[in-house]
Amino acid sequence: GAVVSQHPSWVICKSGTSVKIECRSLDFQATTMFWYRQFPKQSLMLMATSNEGSKATYEQGVEKDKFLINHASLTLSTLTVTSAHPEDSSFYICSAYGLAGTRETQYFGPGTRLLVL
Amino acid sequence: SQELEQSPQSLIVQEGKNLTINCTSSKTLYGLYWYKQKYGEGLIFLMMLQKGGEEKSHEKITAKLDEKKQQSSLHITASQPSHAGIYLCGADRLDSGGSNYKLTFGKGTLLTVNP
């Protein structure tokens, strides 16, 4: 079946560095990618929606210059946390939507846990 | 094996009917979330349950977390076409190391409401 992968699954970085998270759709072409963030004991929060080849649409309160999203191909989207700070430590998860054959498909990646020291 | 089992996988009901969707885990749940999704759209957060026996309602949707914190049910009263979509349960569970919470999802229940 269709699978969405994320890399890395775990990342620890120093404050001030940038971290890139990849989200790949493995069996289908993802025309739309969603990026979410989850803080402990809270629900997922949608950060941004990106359609392949166009700029991402960010939710209110999400800094687009801090969370750079690239969706250059139908199988890959990246989220770059620039100049990460401890308050950016969170669980980041992507969701990919597209067609697997003629069937609409939408799956979540396994998530990336970011810890900023 | 699937960590969260949702049932049914799909459901077709007539407008006005009540329905229930279940989410079952083989392990204790530390936080249980219900979301609604439509293909091509982002998740809509419905409710979060944390305490055994907890019950929450939002408009015509009620969710419960059982006492043992291993199962949750989502109940929709007098369903309407606007309720149609994919309902997902998500849960915080401790990872194998026992030190971090890991978010997992059920496979979803596709709800169709016929007018």
Side-chain angles (χ1 to χ4, degrees):
Chain A
V3 175
V4 174
S5 69
Q6 272 184 248
H7 177 80
S9 56
W10 243 113
V11 57
I12 302 173
C13 68
K14 292 183 179 179
S15 184
T17 60
S18 294
V19 175
K20 180 184 283 189
I21 301 169
E22 294 184 348
C23 178
R24 292 181 185 272
S25 59
L26 302 182
D27 292 334
F28 65 101
Q29 294 185 325
T31 51
T32 306
M33 291 278 199
F34 303 91
W35 284 96
Y36 297 89
R37 179 169 58 184
Q38 186 202 28
F39 292 108
K41 297 295 188 178
Q42 297 184 28
S43 72
L44 285 178
M45 183 188 79
L46 179 64
M47 299 174 67
T49 302
S50 73
N51 293 302
E52 185 265 339
S54 59
K55 290 183 178 180
T57 302
Y58 289 81
E59 296 297 306
Q60 192 173 7
V62 178
E63 300 175 58
K64 58 183 178 182
D65 293 331
K66 181 166 184 64
F67 298 99
L68 300 178
I69 291 172
N70 183 284
H71 190 175
S73 80
L74 286 171
T75 58
L76 174 65
S77 177
T78 59
L79 167 68
T80 301
V81 183
T82 62
S83 187
H85 288 94
E87 58 266 28
D88 298 324
S89 298
S90 187
F91 184 75
Y92 293 87
I93 192 166
C94 68
S95 173
Y97 163 79
L99 293 177
T102 58
R103 186 172 59 88
E104 283 186 294
T105 296
Q106 191 156 347
Y107 287 91
F108 285 94
T112 296
R113 191 168 298 281
L114 170 63
L115 178 61
V116 185
L117 302 176
Chain B
S1 62
Q2 185 68 23
E3 296 186 26
L4 283 180
E5 293 286 341
Q6 258 186 264
S7 63
Q9 289 185 330
S10 64
L11 191 56
I12 302 174
V13 299
Q14 204 65 33
E15 182 177 358
K17 295 294 185 183
N18 303 335
L19 63 105
T20 300
I21 299 169
N22 293 303
C23 179
T24 303
S25 170
S26 57
K27 301 178 182 179
T28 300
L29 301 170
Y30 293 93
L32 191 288
Y33 309 88
W34 282 102
Y35 299 94
K36 181 184 175 184
Q37 176 183 280
K38 293 193 174 184
Y39 281 128
E41 299 180 12
L43 284 180
I44 298 170
F45 170 69
L46 297 175
M47 273 167 278
M48 180 177 78
L49 305 166
Q50 288 186 291
K51 300 177 183 177
E54 187 174 11
E55 178 176 327
K56 288 186 177 178
S57 294
H58 175 68
E59 297 178 346
K60 294 185 178 179
I61 302 176
T62 301
K64 300 179 184 179
L65 183 62
D66 81 354
E67 291 290 339
K68 294 183 180 180
K69 297 175 67 176
Q70 290 190 224
Q71 183 176 16
S72 178
S73 59
L74 184 83
H75 185 76
I76 299 177
T77 304
S79 59
Q80 299 170 354
S82 60
H83 287 126
I86 301 164
Y87 288 82
L88 281 163
C89 64
D92 287 327
R93 298 172 62 179
L94 286 176
D95 64 12
S96 55
S99 57
N100 292 301
Y101 287 104
K102 175 185 173 183
L103 177 64
T104 58
F105 289 99
K107 288 188 174 181
T109 296
L110 177 60
L111 173 64
T112 303
V113 181
N114 291 326

